[in-house]
Amino acid sequence: MTSASARQDGPARDDVPPEDYRLLVPRDWFRIDLTLERWRPQLKTFVDRQAARRRMSAKAAQGLWATLRNTAESGASQGAIELFLRAEADESGATPATLLVSLLPMSGELYAAPGDLARSLAERRGAGTEVTVTELPAGEAVRVATATTLDLYVNMPGKAGYLLLAFSVPMSGVKSPLGGLCEAIASSLRWV
């Protein structure tokens, strides 16, 4: 497992916003830092490795590049700071799992308690989506699950907002061993 964190000081206090976080992600997941301008070459490296390893057609490799680039661009424009990709893909170019980590600052009057956020998300997402409030070691979280996606809005200490862990598990689904691994990754989150 690797740890994604810029700082690794002592544990965070509940009333003070954290400076950073620590998240354990398996080593075979490829990390792309979306806060840096060089994320496109990092993503291209991942696609090129997948294309060579899986002997993908040029069309499949281009499709993988387009899908992942669109995911990264959309995420970065909405506050995403990291993208993790399961370092394997099938012949069509589909990745079995991704994790997009986003910072959602909400302070003062903008802050929504987990129960309020859960109600709002349930109204917006509609049928086919399971929205619950759950407890993780890092704190209270809003869990939003569909058949192939798992979003965990983890409440940050000091009512600073949420850290969103958005997992996509398109090939096996959330109720699979890979979905269980996503839950374990989320449970590894710690504030520093």
Side-chain angles (χ1 to χ4, degrees), residues 46-63:
F46 175 80
V47 171
D48 289 347
R49 287 180 186 170
Q50 293 306 303
R53 186 176 301 145
R54 300 287 180 189
R55 297 191 173 115
M56 288 181 197
S57 69
K59 184 176 181 179
Q62 182 59 34

Side-chain angles (χ1 to χ4, degrees), residues 98-115:
T98 61
L99 164 59
L100 192 63
V101 181
S102 302
L103 180 61
L104 306 173
M106 292 180 195
S107 58
E109 293 181 18
L110 293 177
Y111 177 76

Side-chain angles (χ1 to χ4, degrees), residues 19-167:
E19 291 185 32
D20 207 347
Y21 64 93
R22 199 173 61 224
L23 187 65
L24 298 177
V25 178
R27 290 177 197 239
D28 66 339
W29 288 47
F30 191 88
R31 179 183 178 267
I32 297 171
D33 185 343
L34 296 176
T35 65
L36 303 174
E37 284 301 315
R38 68 176 187 264
W39 69 260
R40 282 182 179 78
Q42 289 176 332
L43 187 58
K44 180 81 168 95
T45 297
F46 175 80
V47 171
D48 289 347
R49 287 180 186 170
Q50 293 306 303
R53 186 176 301 145
R54 300 287 180 189
R55 297 191 173 115
M56 288 181 197
S57 69
K59 184 176 181 179
Q62 182 59 34
L64 178 60
W65 164 254
T67 299
L68 294 176
R69 183 200 62 226
N70 291 343
T71 298
E73 285 176 347
S74 174
S77 71
Q78 297 175 29
I81 50 182
E82 292 183 294
L83 174 62
F84 291 91
L85 305 164
R86 177 84 187 253
E88 60 185 50
D90 69 9
E91 298 76 33
S92 71
T95 57
T98 61
L99 164 59
L100 192 63
V101 181
S102 302
L103 180 61
L104 306 173
M106 292 180 195
S107 58
E109 293 181 18
L110 293 177
Y111 177 76
D116 296 333
L117 180 61
R119 281 187 287 284
S120 174
L121 289 169
E123 289 172 10
R124 283 190 286 171
R125 300 284 179 100
T129 303
E130 177 188 319
V131 180
T132 58
V133 176
T134 188
E135 192 69 33
L136 293 176
E140 208 169 14
V142 178
R143 184 181 187 279
V144 181
T146 67
T148 59
T149 63
L150 173 63
D151 296 343
L152 289 150
Y153 295 80
V154 185
N155 193 19
M156 294 171 59
K159 296 183 178 181
Y162 291 85
L163 187 72
L164 171 59
L165 306 176
F167 295 94

